[in-house]
């Protein structure tokens, strides 16, 4: 009745009843936290997971807003044209469609976009076979005491900063290629129309081929370590069964292992492709910085990323702001290409799914 | 009640009066302070201390490094942070006020002046540009005219033993070597100077088709290479036999060490002139009278006897309205120190980069512009 | 009786298999050789002019040391660890723990995960440009540590989120079920049980993110600028870091700076190596744990990586069954 907890608490061995009234302040925070801890975790986690999406949307909107004047004036010529000129910086300012720009300014980015696509293509063509081959070598029948350190070295290669690779490329690798490899190729290539692209002049080592090889070196670790992990996850039973049936190692690899991991390799290749498309510093150092499509595969070129890096400050000298808007348009193009490639690859991986049912059932 | 209301009115009036006097007084004081910045007897104000950031022209980069050490020795409270990123960067970073002093070989374009009314280009020194080539075995200074260079850079002349080069250089054995043209890949004041020369010397050709700027659409010459910075031009030309490049005179020692030769360029009078200090001074002297108060003038291809044709003022690009008076004081101090003949423009500094000090009239104009930085 | 000798077809197949095996070894060599050449080349260039004083001398306009640049890179790494680490881990927790398929959060988790992956493939120079436009110029911060930290964190959050999610998914559901059965709240079980088990994987992800942050150049050029001295403020002051030294000093007029460029490359490689080796050690230490070792019916312990085949541990309730204590 009147004594709440009084009787119960005064008899030893009986539990105390709940106290009445508000708990003291120092307990209140603890209780609040305990009751709401789950909501706090959920709330913070929600905010955190929305941030990448918000950042992506923010980045694309900033680019679109900045690029809009240039998109209107440059039009489709931007995507197929080859003239890239800021116009007469020391001449008059003219207006097209209400947008001010320097007289004679004309921006066609096809040569630059081509550079990105070509260098990434070369990198993929070189890197994918090498990575798959190396992954095979590492996982099939190689003693652990070799494969572990070698695998680790490949992973280290993934972490080496691009500047360092670019430094080595421009100081050592590029000149070596230009003096010892390219002349050999160029002198022995038959004079057939398609292969003329590989003939002389061989340049100084700063060019499309050197950049492609260096890019390949950068994306090999990504593809190789992912592929190696994929190979390790292939269940041994189908492979052993195929071996028992008398298939050679190569046939096992070709008919059992590769189909099993095909979609995973596509995914890894796209990861590597994404890195190659966005690579800036190494290309800026070893690409040679020519705003035109090179005549031979050894000559200087440029990519979208390298152009943005090296031209941004120059673009700012255009007082009308048009050149900066054009660079924003270029950045938008690169963003669209890389996001597009990423999304297409995810669709491919989802569609093909887990290829290769377990051989022999189970 | 009445007394308290009157008291309230009086107090209010007193407050308003005090505030007004204070405001008037402070505006008078501040305008007095900003109206006249006086130069001390030494000619250089004492800086307020801190870091002054500079970026831009690679032509100016070596001298700015020397100035940074010298300035810090005299005023240990203030350091200059330098970088060589190209004149275009110097101009644009000064525009955005992300840097205190932008160094540029090129004066501001009309469009930049229009969108940035408080941006100034202040001449600091006189410099020149060389045309270098890598021809082992050729020790003579080749005679190169603006028209010839224009043809080479357009890919119309592709070999060193071409008839156009040989006829201008009788008696010199030219090798059978393809010409590899080097140009600047970054936004460069050197590009501005070189293309100004080509535009003036070949007005109907280069001048109409391509023009001059810190970045131009380089024509497709075979094997044309882009290099970053003057250092890139030197190392690129060194690695490429048969190259031709335009390099600032502050890199003369490096070009000689790299085994590159430099040419005699044809000036407005048709003479082939070597880039000696006398010839550079002659060219600059011919433009002193025409130099306007804001320093915006091209000294290239003048009609001056024995004047070397590619000569220019080196500019500091600065905002006249700075965000704080201490930053403004730092900048003024650095610039005054740099152009003062007893300090930064002493021969001990300038001779290391083959620059020349400003003539008296231009010096006075620069000081006037510097004192207006507030 | 049929003979067991190999017929011509078999010999051809075996020869072709041997040929392909040779090609795979060739591929391995073609990858290893340039990698080794590069590492040795950079090390040799740096070591030939190496002075230990480079580590603690300040940079001067014509040379000097790299003290502030090293400190700058370390500060950037630390800042990214705190900002991106906390956000990324929480994002990973959301994707792994709170996105159940039948709840509203689950339906959104697919697009959110896609957005995170797309962000990880976003070109870094474009992010740098956005940072320049929005933060350096737009907000008026100028080249600054603040702008650099924000952009670097945005770049790195997707990696941390992905590794956190993966390592959380590898924690057996039995742990969570057991914790719930014991009456632990979600937050408590997350803290004390789940995160603790996933910690090695999370730490690996963080170390990887640090390695990425240490090696970036392009976005930093447009958000941090460059400097020789550590500034005293988060904004309006350019920030020093090592990668710019490698990018631009190799061609500087001053020969002293060429050496600094190689030294900076060496220091960067050392930093990355330390991070990657640490993450490897963490991973191998935890793989050795009894958790992933299996005991055969005869009581023999099978360890992974010792030539004994072990199936990867799946979602198996392990609490008390193998006798292994929960982490």
């Amino acid at each position: 009745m009147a004594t709440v907890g009084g009787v119960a608490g005064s008899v030893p061995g009986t539990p105390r009843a709940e106290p009445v009234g508000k708990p003291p302040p120092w307990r209140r925070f603890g209780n609040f936290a305990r009751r709401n801890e789950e909501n706090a975790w959920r709330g913070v986690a929600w905010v955190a997971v929305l941030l990448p999406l918000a950042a992506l949307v923010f980045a694309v909107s900033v680019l679109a807003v900045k690029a809009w004047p240039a998109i209107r004036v440059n039009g489709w010529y931007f995507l197929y044209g080859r003239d890239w000129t800021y116009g007469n910086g020391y001449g008059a300012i003219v207006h097209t469609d209400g947008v001010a720009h320097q007289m004679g300014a004309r921006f066609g980015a096809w040569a630059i976009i081509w550079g990105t696509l070509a260098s990434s293509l070369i990198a993929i063509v070189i890197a994918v076979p090498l990575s798959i081959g190396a992954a095979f070598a590492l996982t099939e029948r190689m003693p652990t005491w070799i494969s572990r350190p070698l695998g680790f070295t490949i992973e280290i290669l993934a972490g080496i900063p691009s500047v360092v690779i670019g430094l080595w490329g421009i100081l050592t690798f590029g000149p070596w290629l230009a003096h010892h490899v390219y002349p050999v190729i160029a002198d022995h290539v038959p004079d057939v129309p398609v292969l003329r692209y590989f003939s002389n002049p061989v340049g100084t080592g700063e060019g499309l081929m050197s950049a492609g090889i260096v890019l390949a070196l950068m994306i090999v670790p990504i593809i190789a370590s992912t592929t190696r992990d994929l190979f390790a996850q292939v269940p041994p039973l189908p492979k052993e069964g195929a071996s028992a049936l008398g298939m050679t190692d190569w046939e096992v690899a070709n008919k059992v292992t590769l189909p099993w991991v095909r979609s995973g390799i596509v995914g890894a290749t796209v990861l590597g492709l994404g890195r190659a498309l966005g690579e800036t510093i190494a290309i800026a150092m070893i690409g040679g910085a020519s705003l035109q499509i090179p005549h031979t595969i050894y000559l200087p070129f440029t990519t979208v990323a390298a152009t943005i890096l090296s031209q941004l400050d120059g673009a700012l000298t255009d007082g009308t702001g048009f050149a900066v808007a054009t660079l924003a348009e270029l950045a938008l193009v690169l963003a669209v290409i890389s996001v597009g490639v990423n999304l297409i690859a995810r669709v491919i991986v989802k569609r093909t799914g887990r290829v290769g049912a377990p051989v022999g059932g189970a | 009640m009445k007394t308290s209301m009157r008291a309230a009115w009086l107090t209010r009036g007193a407050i308003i009066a005090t505030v007004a006097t204070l405001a008037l007084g402070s505006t008078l004081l501040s305008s007095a302070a900003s109206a006249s910045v006086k130069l001390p007897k030494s000619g250089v104000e004492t800086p307020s201390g801190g870091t002054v950031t500079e970026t831009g022209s690679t032509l100016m980069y070596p001298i700015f490094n020397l100035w940074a050490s010298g300035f810090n020795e005299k005023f240990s409270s203030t350091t200059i942070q330098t970088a060589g990123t190209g004149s275009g960067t110097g101009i644009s970073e000064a525009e955005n006020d992300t840097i205190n002093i932008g160094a540029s070989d090129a004066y501001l374009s009309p469009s930049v002046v229009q969108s940035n009314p408080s941006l100034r280009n202040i001449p600091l020194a006189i410099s020149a540009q060389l045309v270098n080539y890598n021809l082992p075995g050729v020790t003579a200074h080749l005679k190169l005219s603006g028209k010839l260079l224009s043809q080479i850079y357009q890919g119309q002349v592709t070999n060193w033993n071409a008839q156009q080069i040989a006829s201008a250089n009788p008696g010199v054995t030219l090798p059978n070597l393809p010409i590899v043209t080097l140009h600047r890949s970054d936004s460069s004041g050197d590009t501005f100077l070189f293309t100004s020369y080509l535009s003036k010397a070949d007005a109907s050709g280069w001048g109409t088709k391509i023009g001059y700027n810190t970045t131009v659409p380089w024509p497709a010459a075979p094997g044309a290479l882009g290099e970053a910075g003057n250092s890139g031009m030197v190392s690129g030309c060194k690695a490429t036999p048969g190259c031709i490049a335009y390099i600032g005179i502050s890199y003369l020692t490096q070009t000689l060490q790299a085994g590159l030769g430099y040419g005699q360029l044809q000036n407005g009078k048709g003479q082939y002139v070597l880039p000696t200090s006398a010839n550079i001074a002659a060219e600059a002297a011919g433009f002193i009278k025409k130099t306007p108060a804001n320093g915006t003038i091209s000294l290239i291809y003048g009609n001056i006897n024995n004047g070397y044709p590619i000569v220019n003022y080196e500019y500091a690009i600065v905002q006249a309205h700075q965000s704080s008076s201490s930053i403004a004081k730092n900048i003024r101090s650095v610039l005054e120190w740099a152009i003062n003949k007893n300090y930064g423009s002493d021969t001990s500094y300038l001779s290391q980069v083959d620059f020349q000090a400003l003539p008296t009239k231009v010096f006075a104009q620069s000081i006037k512009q510097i004192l207006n930085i507030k | 009786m049929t003979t067991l000798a190999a017929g011509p077809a078999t010999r051809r197949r075996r020869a072709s298999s041997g040929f392909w095996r040779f090609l795979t070894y060739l591929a391995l060599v073609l990858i290893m050789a340039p990698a080794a050449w590069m590492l040795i080349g950079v090390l040799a260039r740096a070591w030939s002019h190496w002075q230990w004083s480079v580590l603690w001398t300040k940079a001067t306009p014509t040379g000097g040391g790299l003290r502030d640049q090293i400190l700058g890179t370390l500060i950037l790494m630390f800042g990214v660890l705190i900002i991106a680490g906390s956000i990324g881990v929480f994002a990973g927790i959301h994707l792994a723990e709170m996105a159940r398929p039948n709840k509203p959060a689950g339906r959104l988790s697919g697009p959110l995960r896609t957005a995170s992956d797309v962000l990880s493939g976003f070109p870094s120079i474009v992010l740098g440009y956005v940072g320049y436009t929005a933060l350096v110029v737009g907000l008026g911060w100028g080249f600054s540590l603040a702008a650099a930290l924000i952009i670097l964190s945005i770049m790195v959050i997707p990696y941390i989120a992905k590794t956190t999610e993966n390592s959380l998914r590898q924690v057996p559901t039995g742990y969570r079920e057991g914790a719930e059965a014991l009456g632990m709240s979600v937050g408590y079980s997350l803290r004390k049980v789940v995160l603790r088990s996933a910690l090695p994987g999370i730490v690996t992800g963080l170390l990887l993110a640090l390695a990425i942050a240490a090696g970036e150049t392009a976005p930093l050029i447009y958000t941090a600028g460059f400097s020789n001295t550590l500034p005293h403020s988060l904004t309006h002051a350019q920030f020093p870091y090592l990668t710019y030294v490698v990018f631009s000093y190799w061609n500087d007029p001053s020969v002293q700076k060429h050496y600094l460029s190689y030294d900076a490359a060496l220091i960067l490689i050392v930093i990355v190596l330390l991070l990657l080796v640490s993450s490897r050690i963490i991973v191998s230490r935890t793989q050795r744990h009894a958790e992933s070792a299996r005991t055969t019916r005869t009581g023999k312990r099978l360890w992974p990586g010792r030539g004994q085949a072990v199936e990867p541990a799946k979602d198996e309730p392990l609490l008390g069954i193998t006798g292994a204590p929960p982490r």
Side-chain angles (χ1 to χ4, degrees), chain B residues 271-295:
Chain B
Q271 305 160 315
Y272 286 102
V273 186
L274 277 171
T276 61
S277 46
N279 297 342
I280 298 174
E283 178 86 1
F287 283 92
I288 297 181
K289 279 216 196 94
K290 299 188 222 157
T291 306
N294 63 5

Short mmCIF file of all heavy atoms in Angstrom, two decimals, chain B residues 271-295:
data_model
loop_
_atom_site.label_atom_id
_atom_site.label_comp_id
_atom_site.label_asym_id
_atom_site.label_seq_id
_atom_site.Cartn_x
_atom_site.Cartn_y
_atom_site.Cartn_z
N GLN B 271 68.29 41.67 -89.46
CA GLN B 271 69.62 41.24 -89.02
C GLN B 271 69.50 39.94 -88.23
O GLN B 271 68.51 39.71 -87.53
CB GLN B 271 70.26 42.30 -88.12
CG GLN B 271 70.34 43.66 -88.75
CD GLN B 271 70.51 44.74 -87.69
OE1 GLN B 271 69.84 44.71 -86.68
NE2 GLN B 271 71.43 45.66 -87.94
N TYR B 272 70.53 39.11 -88.31
CA TYR B 272 70.60 37.90 -87.47
C TYR B 272 71.39 38.26 -86.23
O TYR B 272 72.56 38.64 -86.31
CB TYR B 272 71.26 36.76 -88.24
CG TYR B 272 70.35 36.17 -89.28
CD1 TYR B 272 70.50 36.49 -90.64
CD2 TYR B 272 69.32 35.29 -88.92
CE1 TYR B 272 69.65 35.95 -91.59
CE2 TYR B 272 68.48 34.75 -89.87
CZ TYR B 272 68.64 35.08 -91.20
OH TYR B 272 67.80 34.55 -92.13
N VAL B 273 70.77 38.13 -85.08
CA VAL B 273 71.34 38.65 -83.84
C VAL B 273 71.49 37.53 -82.82
O VAL B 273 70.61 36.68 -82.66
CB VAL B 273 70.40 39.74 -83.25
CG1 VAL B 273 71.04 40.39 -82.06
CG2 VAL B 273 70.08 40.79 -84.31
N LEU B 274 72.63 37.56 -82.09
CA LEU B 274 72.85 36.60 -81.01
C LEU B 274 72.25 37.13 -79.72
O LEU B 274 72.18 38.35 -79.51
CB LEU B 274 74.36 36.41 -80.81
CG LEU B 274 75.06 35.43 -81.73
CD1 LEU B 274 76.56 35.52 -81.54
CD2 LEU B 274 74.58 34.01 -81.47
N PRO B 275 71.85 36.24 -78.82
CA PRO B 275 71.25 36.71 -77.56
C PRO B 275 72.29 37.15 -76.54
O PRO B 275 72.34 36.64 -75.43
CB PRO B 275 70.49 35.48 -77.06
CG PRO B 275 71.19 34.31 -77.66
CD PRO B 275 71.73 34.76 -78.97
N THR B 276 73.12 38.13 -76.89
CA THR B 276 74.07 38.65 -75.91
C THR B 276 73.37 39.71 -75.08
O THR B 276 72.34 40.25 -75.47
CB THR B 276 75.27 39.30 -76.59
OG1 THR B 276 74.79 40.39 -77.38
CG2 THR B 276 75.98 38.30 -77.48
N SER B 277 73.97 40.03 -73.91
CA SER B 277 73.29 40.99 -73.04
C SER B 277 73.19 42.35 -73.71
O SER B 277 72.24 43.09 -73.51
CB SER B 277 74.00 41.07 -71.69
OG SER B 277 75.38 41.17 -71.87
N ALA B 278 74.19 42.68 -74.52
CA ALA B 278 74.13 43.97 -75.21
C ALA B 278 72.94 44.02 -76.15
O ALA B 278 72.19 45.01 -76.20
CB ALA B 278 75.43 44.22 -75.97
N ASN B 279 72.74 42.95 -76.91
CA ASN B 279 71.64 42.92 -77.87
C ASN B 279 70.29 42.91 -77.19
O ASN B 279 69.33 43.51 -77.66
CB ASN B 279 71.78 41.72 -78.81
CG ASN B 279 73.05 41.80 -79.64
OD1 ASN B 279 73.64 42.86 -79.77
ND2 ASN B 279 73.48 40.68 -80.17
N ILE B 280 70.22 42.19 -76.07
CA ILE B 280 68.96 42.17 -75.32
C ILE B 280 68.66 43.56 -74.79
O ILE B 280 67.53 44.07 -74.86
CB ILE B 280 69.03 41.14 -74.18
CG1 ILE B 280 69.23 39.74 -74.76
CG2 ILE B 280 67.79 41.19 -73.32
CD1 ILE B 280 69.46 38.67 -73.73
N ALA B 281 69.71 44.21 -74.24
CA ALA B 281 69.51 45.55 -73.70
C ALA B 281 69.08 46.51 -74.80
O ALA B 281 68.23 47.39 -74.59
CB ALA B 281 70.80 46.03 -73.03
N ALA B 282 69.66 46.33 -76.00
CA ALA B 282 69.29 47.23 -77.09
C ALA B 282 67.81 47.10 -77.41
O ALA B 282 67.11 48.11 -77.60
CB ALA B 282 70.15 46.90 -78.32
N GLU B 283 67.34 45.85 -77.51
CA GLU B 283 65.92 45.65 -77.82
C GLU B 283 65.03 46.28 -76.76
O GLU B 283 64.05 46.96 -77.06
CB GLU B 283 65.64 44.14 -77.93
CG GLU B 283 64.20 43.79 -78.20
CD GLU B 283 63.87 43.80 -79.69
OE1 GLU B 283 64.77 44.05 -80.50
OE2 GLU B 283 62.70 43.55 -80.04
N ALA B 284 65.39 46.05 -75.49
CA ALA B 284 64.56 46.61 -74.42
C ALA B 284 64.58 48.11 -74.46
O ALA B 284 63.56 48.78 -74.25
CB ALA B 284 65.06 46.08 -73.07
N ALA B 285 65.78 48.66 -74.73
CA ALA B 285 65.90 50.13 -74.72
C ALA B 285 64.98 50.74 -75.76
O ALA B 285 64.43 51.83 -75.55
CB ALA B 285 67.35 50.52 -74.99
N GLY B 286 64.80 50.05 -76.88
CA GLY B 286 63.96 50.62 -77.92
C GLY B 286 62.50 50.73 -77.54
O GLY B 286 61.72 51.40 -78.20
N PHE B 287 62.09 50.06 -76.46
CA PHE B 287 60.67 50.08 -76.10
C PHE B 287 60.39 50.87 -74.84
O PHE B 287 59.25 50.93 -74.40
CB PHE B 287 60.16 48.65 -75.90
CG PHE B 287 59.92 47.90 -77.18
CD1 PHE B 287 60.92 47.12 -77.74
CD2 PHE B 287 58.69 48.00 -77.83
CE1 PHE B 287 60.69 46.42 -78.92
CE2 PHE B 287 58.47 47.31 -79.01
CZ PHE B 287 59.47 46.53 -79.56
N ILE B 288 61.44 51.45 -74.23
CA ILE B 288 61.23 52.11 -72.93
C ILE B 288 60.18 53.19 -73.04
O ILE B 288 59.26 53.30 -72.23
CB ILE B 288 62.55 52.69 -72.40
CG1 ILE B 288 63.54 51.58 -72.14
CG2 ILE B 288 62.30 53.48 -71.14
CD1 ILE B 288 64.86 52.08 -71.59
N LYS B 289 60.31 54.03 -74.08
CA LYS B 289 59.38 55.16 -74.19
C LYS B 289 57.96 54.68 -74.35
O LYS B 289 57.02 55.29 -73.86
CB LYS B 289 59.75 56.00 -75.42
CG LYS B 289 60.87 56.94 -75.20
CD LYS B 289 60.64 58.26 -75.98
CE LYS B 289 61.96 59.04 -76.06
NZ LYS B 289 62.71 58.76 -77.30
N LYS B 290 57.77 53.54 -75.06
CA LYS B 290 56.40 53.11 -75.35
C LYS B 290 55.76 52.33 -74.22
O LYS B 290 54.58 52.02 -74.28
CB LYS B 290 56.41 52.21 -76.61
CG LYS B 290 56.93 52.89 -77.84
CD LYS B 290 56.74 52.00 -79.07
CE LYS B 290 57.97 52.05 -79.95
NZ LYS B 290 58.11 50.90 -80.81
N THR B 291 56.58 51.97 -73.19
CA THR B 291 56.01 51.12 -72.14
C THR B 291 54.98 51.90 -71.35
O THR B 291 55.29 52.93 -70.76
CB THR B 291 57.11 50.62 -71.20
OG1 THR B 291 58.12 50.00 -71.99
CG2 THR B 291 56.58 49.65 -70.19
N PRO B 292 53.72 51.43 -71.31
CA PRO B 292 52.69 52.17 -70.59
C PRO B 292 52.82 51.98 -69.08
O PRO B 292 53.61 51.16 -68.62
CB PRO B 292 51.39 51.55 -71.10
CG PRO B 292 51.77 50.17 -71.46
CD PRO B 292 53.20 50.20 -71.92
N ALA B 293 52.02 52.73 -68.34
CA ALA B 293 52.13 52.69 -66.87
C ALA B 293 51.77 51.32 -66.31
O ALA B 293 52.31 50.91 -65.29
CB ALA B 293 51.23 53.76 -66.26
N ASN B 294 50.90 50.58 -67.01
CA ASN B 294 50.55 49.28 -66.45
C ASN B 294 51.49 48.17 -66.91
O ASN B 294 51.29 47.02 -66.58
CB ASN B 294 49.09 48.91 -66.78
CG ASN B 294 48.89 48.76 -68.28
OD1 ASN B 294 49.83 48.83 -69.06
ND2 ASN B 294 47.64 48.56 -68.69
N GLY B 295 52.49 48.52 -67.68
CA GLY B 295 53.52 47.54 -68.03
C GLY B 295 53.14 46.60 -69.15
O GLY B 295 53.92 45.72 -69.52
#
